[in-house]
């Protein structure tokens, strides 16, 4: 007896991670021509199941259409049928977690953790070792510190499903270390629908509490500037030329609306709105469909953070500040898709737009080692910052999937552009004057005012063509080949200025007492002759251009080599040319390398519901643009300065994995796996104090070698309650989804000479063990990751109650810097994510001709805060420590 799976197996040899919307599938037909594998009784394959939700896999490696025969096995699971190690999040899985963005939903997947602002780490490997795709095409990044897009900018409302592949197959780009994450946008619907929804949320630390913000423009709540932050051309020209901005042009800056920090004692609640529409119609033999979606969300978050810094081997503090930050984030998104289906062919055009803005106000109070707390208990310094970080993603994709008998052809092209604009990054430092009994800012010495303007734009053109031939043979066999091209370009600038008086002398006492907007009023600027001193080149280049062009071609074969034994084998040839050129510099960085990247996966289906996979491959990881660019950049999330190292080189990874899978019932499974990776020249973050300054800066260096190994366990189990004799629960079932990942990593750092990040544009070779700790863990890697979902849900209608538990153990965020001239290494900086407990309830109601969904959420019920610290013999120094609130939300949507 045989089992046939629609759109999977043979063509899944070309499986690229693009998982489309869940659809209702007909029962898979049986094939009378196939025979069961040796050792399996004819009745070992169960009868086809009833129609159910099915994940459609759309793949750039070949159109997955038609009925593909799986001999003698009935394991009706898309994860099982793929020739690689994957995790799939369907729309139902995403909805069950209740997460508002796809990064949060992915954090529930085995082996995945989210670090910082939406960057996903796979099996403890940082975001540089993984890639993100949208419908199978790559995306550019709007982040100065990354070449990958942060996944928290993708609302779950525009994502139909997500696939994570952890074992390499050669139809993927060669930059595949931890894995690849593909997001699939919503596809053409089978029926016309209209959905409208919204939600309100309260944060116990933020909502209706004290926060700091500033006036800005009239449309800040939408995330769009109304022109208030428009930067005069004279200022940008001076920044690019390295000149100062004279007094006559300084008055052209918008000062008051972007300068004065204001208290808001009752911060508003969070809210979101969304709407989507889809329809399809038949035009003769052609089916035409359209889908559109749009959304707006506003969230507020206040953090009261303890920020300490030390350069002392005993932990003595260099500075100690309490900082209150209020972030107001607005996200606008839109999706428009058009699809055509005719015969066995599909064409789809997708347009995606995301606009993500963070408006930040912050006030710090504290002391330094040289100027401690005053006798009356007053902090000597107060620092005020106002910021606006505006990110935008535009993506257009055209995909064609064509089938001509046994030959499938897949072609796709995409253009994507991201932008990040951060005008008017303002900072003011006031110092307490005991004689005046007030805080003053004289614009000299430690008392200062500065402003920065930064902008980034990245464009990415990509194209792929793939062909798959299902060979007419007595056993399933598919041969495939393809070519892919990507061309990424980036321009980035950051111009920094410090306010100075005409003679660089201190302001008078009367003027220095003024608050920031009066201090920089037009009258004071003109009367005192205040100008902007250009400081852009004090620590690197003010601007740089970057590009990465990659050509890749592959061949691959997938088929059954014996009864119950199938293999996928292939090799990819990839040529990359990466350049980072500081503007105005005679030379920059160029990395040109060609690679042969083989991969082999063998799957042994040794029982009717069990199989074993073994995998081996070689992959690479290229330095990110920002890691190569000698430009100083401040990350306001971590409050840390970053600078690039132009002498980095590619990393090479050698991967091995074995995985046991037991599919004991429909959509229910247990899997256990072990993995090992050897990384040559991994790129690690290195902390240091530049030039003896009292600020902590992060650079990057190639460690000689690292290894990573570990294991994963995953369980998905449903327990029906129709046997317990309670009529009210007869249609309900218990859902238990659990996963655990154990990871260990260590860096090899001896006397090998590596390029130091401390030397700017000069190549200085330093012993690796001076910059890196031999045997230390890779940055971002937690030893233990635990996720647990326990729920009660109705099988016949929407009614769910889910408890979500997660835990991540401590992980290194930065290597401990070397302190002073003694060369003593300080402890590493450690982040403690800890435990989180969430509850999500969803209830469907039919009324007024529509289907309503009511959703209630309670997040972070454990009240787990954020801690980043260094541990010394008798104390901890907190780089960042703040409370995170419990978040309660209520939302509703209706579908017609």
């Amino acid at each position: 007896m045989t089992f046939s799976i629609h759109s999977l197996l043979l063509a899944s040899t070309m499986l690229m991670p693009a998982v489309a919307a869940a659809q209702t599938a007909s029962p898979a037909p049986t094939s009378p021509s196939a025979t069961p594998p040796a050792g399996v009784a004819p009745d070992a394959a169960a009868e086809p199941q009833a129609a159910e939700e099915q994940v459609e896999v759309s793949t750039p490696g070949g159109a997955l259409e038609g009925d593909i025969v799986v001999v003698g096995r009935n394991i009706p699971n898309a994860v099982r049928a793929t020739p690689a190690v994957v995790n799939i999040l369907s729309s139902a899985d995403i909805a069950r977690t209740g997460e508002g963005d796809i990064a949060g939903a992915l954090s529930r997947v085995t082996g995945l953790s989210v670090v910082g602002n939406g960057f996903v780490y796979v099996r403890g490997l940082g975001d540089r070792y993984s890639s993100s795709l949208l419908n199978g095409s790559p995306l550019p990044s709007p982040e100065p510190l990354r070449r990958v897009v942060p996944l928290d900018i993708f609302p779950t409302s525009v994502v139909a499903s997500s696939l994570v592949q952890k074992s390499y197959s050669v139809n993927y780009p060669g930059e595949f270390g931890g894995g690849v994450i593909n997001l699939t946008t919503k596809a053409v619907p089978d029926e016309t629908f209209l959905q409208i929804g919204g939600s309100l949320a309260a944060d116990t630390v933020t909502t209706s509490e004290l926060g700091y913000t500033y006036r800005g423009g009239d449309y800040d709540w939408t995330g769009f500037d109304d022109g208030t932050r428009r930067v005069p051309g004279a200022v940008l020209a001076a920044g690019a030329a390295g000149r100062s901005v004279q007094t006559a042009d300084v008055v052209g800056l918008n000062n008051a609306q972007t300068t004065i920090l204001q208290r808001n004692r009752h911060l508003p609640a969070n809210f979101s709105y969304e709407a989507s529409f889809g329809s399809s119609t038949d035009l003769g033999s052609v089916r035409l469909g359209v889908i559109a979606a749009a959304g707006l969300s506003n969230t507020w978050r206040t953090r009261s953070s303890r920020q300490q810094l030390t350069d002392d081997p005993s932990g003595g503090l260099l500075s100690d500040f309490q900082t209150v930050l209020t972030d107001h984030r607005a996200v606008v998104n839109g999706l428009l898709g058009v699809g055509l289906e005719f015969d066995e062919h599909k064409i789809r055009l997708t347009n995606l737009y995301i606009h993500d803005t963070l408006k930040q106000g912050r006030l710090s109070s504290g002391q330094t080692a040289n100027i401690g707390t005053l006798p009356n208990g007053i902090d000597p310094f107060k620092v005020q910052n106002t910021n606006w970080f505006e990110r935008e993603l535009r993506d257009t994709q055209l995909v064609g999937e064509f089938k001509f008998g046994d030959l499938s052809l897949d072609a796709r092209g995409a253009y994507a552009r991201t932008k990040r604009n951060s005008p008017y990054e303002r900072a003011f430092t006031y110092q307490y004057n005991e004689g005046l009994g007030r805080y003053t800012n004289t614009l000299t010495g430690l008392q200062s005012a500065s402003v920065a303007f930064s902008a980034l734009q990245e464009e990415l053109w990509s194209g792929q063509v793939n062909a798959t031939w299902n060979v007419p043979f007595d056993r399933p066999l598919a041969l495939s080949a393809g070519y892919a091209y990507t061309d990424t370009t980036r321009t980035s600038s950051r111009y920094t200025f410090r306010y100075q008086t005409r003679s660089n002398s201190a302001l008078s006492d009367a003027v220095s007492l003024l608050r920031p907007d009066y201090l920089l009023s037009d009258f004071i600027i003109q009367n005192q002759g205040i100008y902007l001193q250009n400081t852009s080149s004090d620590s690197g280049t003010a601007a740089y251009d970057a590009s990465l062009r990659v050509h890749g071609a592959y061949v691959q074969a997938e088929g059954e080599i014996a009864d119950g034994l199938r293999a996928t084998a292939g090799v990819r040839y990839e040529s990359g040319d990466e350049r980072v050129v500081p503007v105005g510099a005679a030379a920059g960085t160029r990395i040109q390398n060609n690679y042969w990247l083989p991969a082999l996966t063998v799957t042994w289906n040794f029982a009717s519901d069990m199989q074993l996979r073994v995998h081996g491959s070689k992959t690479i990881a290229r330095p990110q643009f920002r890691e190569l660019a000698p430009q100083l950049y401040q990350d306001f999330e971590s409050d840390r300065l970053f600078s690039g190292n132009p002498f980095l080189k590619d990393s090479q990874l050698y991967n091995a994995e074995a995985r046991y899978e037991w599919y004991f019932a429909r959509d229910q499974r247990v899997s256990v796996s072990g993995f090992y990776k050897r990384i040559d020249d991994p790129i690690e973050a290195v902390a240091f104090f530049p030039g003896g300054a009292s600020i902590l800066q992060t650079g990057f260096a190639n460690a000689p070698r690292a290894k990573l190994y570990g294991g994963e366990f995953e369980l998905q189990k449903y327990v029906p309650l129709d046997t317990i004799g309670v009529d009210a629960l007869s249609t309900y079932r218990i859902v238990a989804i659990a996963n655990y990942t154990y990871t260990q990593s260590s860096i090899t750092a001896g006397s090998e000479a590596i390029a130091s990040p401390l030397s700017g544009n000069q190549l200085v070779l330093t012993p690796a063990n001076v910059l890196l700790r031999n045997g230390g863990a890779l940055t971002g890697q937690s030893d233990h990751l635990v996720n647990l979902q326990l729920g009660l849900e109705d099988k016949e209608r929407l009614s769910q109650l889910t408890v979500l538990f997660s835990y991540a153990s401590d992980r290194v965020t930065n290597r401990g810097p070397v302190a002073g001239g003694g060369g003593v290494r300080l402890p590493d900086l450690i982040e403690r994510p800890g435990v989180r407990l969430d509850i999500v309830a969803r209830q469907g109601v039919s009324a007024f001709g529509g289907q309503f969904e009511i959703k209630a959420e309670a997040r972070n019920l454990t009240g787990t805060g954020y801690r980043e610290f260094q541990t010394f013999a008798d104390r901890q120094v907190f780089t960042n420590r703040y409370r995170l609130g419990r978040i309660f939300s209520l939302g509703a949507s209706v579908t017609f």
Side-chain angles (χ1 to χ4, degrees), residues 542-604:
Y544 69 89
D545 295 327
S547 65
L548 173 62
R549 184 171 297 171
V550 178
H551 297 270
Y554 73 90
V555 292
Q556 182 173 266
E558 197 274 336
E560 190 174 54
I561 56 180
D563 289 344
L565 189 68
R566 68 183 191 268
T568 304
V571 64
R572 184 182 187 89
Y573 176 77
E574 193 162 287
S575 173
D577 186 356
E578 184 173 11
R579 309 184 192 201
V580 175
V581 181
V583 174
T589 300
R590 184 175 186 182
I591 302 175
Q592 279 185 295
N593 286 313
N594 303 320
Y595 297 99
W596 290 97
L597 304 173
L600 172 65
T601 302
V602 178
T603 303
W604 179 26

Side-chain angles (χ1 to χ4, degrees), residues 717-773:
K717 172 67 178 173
Y718 300 121
V719 180
L721 300 181
D722 54 2
T723 60
I724 64 174
V726 179
D727 291 342
L729 296 176
S730 61
T731 61
Y732 280 81
R733 66 181 182 180
I734 295 173
V735 179
I737 302 174
N739 60 69
Y740 167 69
T741 305
Y742 172 75
T743 311
Q744 286 289 298
S745 64
S746 63
I747 295 171
T748 300
S751 59
E752 304 93 332
I754 61 175
S756 172
L758 284 65
S759 53
N761 280 325
Q762 301 299 315
L763 176 59
V764 175
L765 297 178
T766 302
N769 54 16
V770 172
L771 297 172
L772 302 162
R773 191 183 308 279

Side-chain angles (χ1 to χ4, degrees), residues 298-348:
N298 259 242
T299 57
W300 295 79
R301 181 178 69 156
T302 293
R303 293 167 286 163
S304 180
S305 177
R306 185 75 178 272
Q307 298 176 319
Q308 300 174 323
L309 186 63
T310 180
D311 62 354
D312 184 352
S314 64
L317 295 182
L318 188 64
S319 64
D320 188 358
F321 279 79
Q322 190 73 29
T323 301
V324 178
L325 308 89
T326 298
D327 296 333
H328 177 200
R329 185 180 182 189
V331 180
V332 174
N333 66 82
L335 171 73
L336 177 62
V338 178
L340 290 174
E341 298 180 6
F342 53 98
D343 297 327
E344 295 187 77
H345 313 309
K346 293 182 179 181
I347 298 176
R348 189 167 77 166

Side-chain angles (χ1 to χ4, degrees), residues 257-301:
Q257 288 175 273
T258 63
T259 300
I260 182 63
L261 200 63
Q262 298 172 309
R263 293 187 184 93
N264 186 334
R265 297 189 181 277
H266 299 283
L267 290 174
N270 304 331
F271 69 86
S272 67
Y273 307 116
E274 61 186 41
S276 57
F277 169 80
S279 184
S280 58
T281 184
D282 292 324
L283 304 175
S285 61
V286 177
R287 187 169 183 81
L288 171 66
V290 63
I291 188 167
L296 167 67
S297 69
N298 259 242
T299 57
W300 295 79
R301 181 178 69 156

Side-chain angles (χ1 to χ4, degrees), residues 226-247:
D226 64 355
T228 297
R229 299 174 180 84
R230 186 178 296 114
V231 184
V235 174
L236 295 178
R243 303 191 309 264
S244 296
V245 179
Q246 300 307 311
T247 301

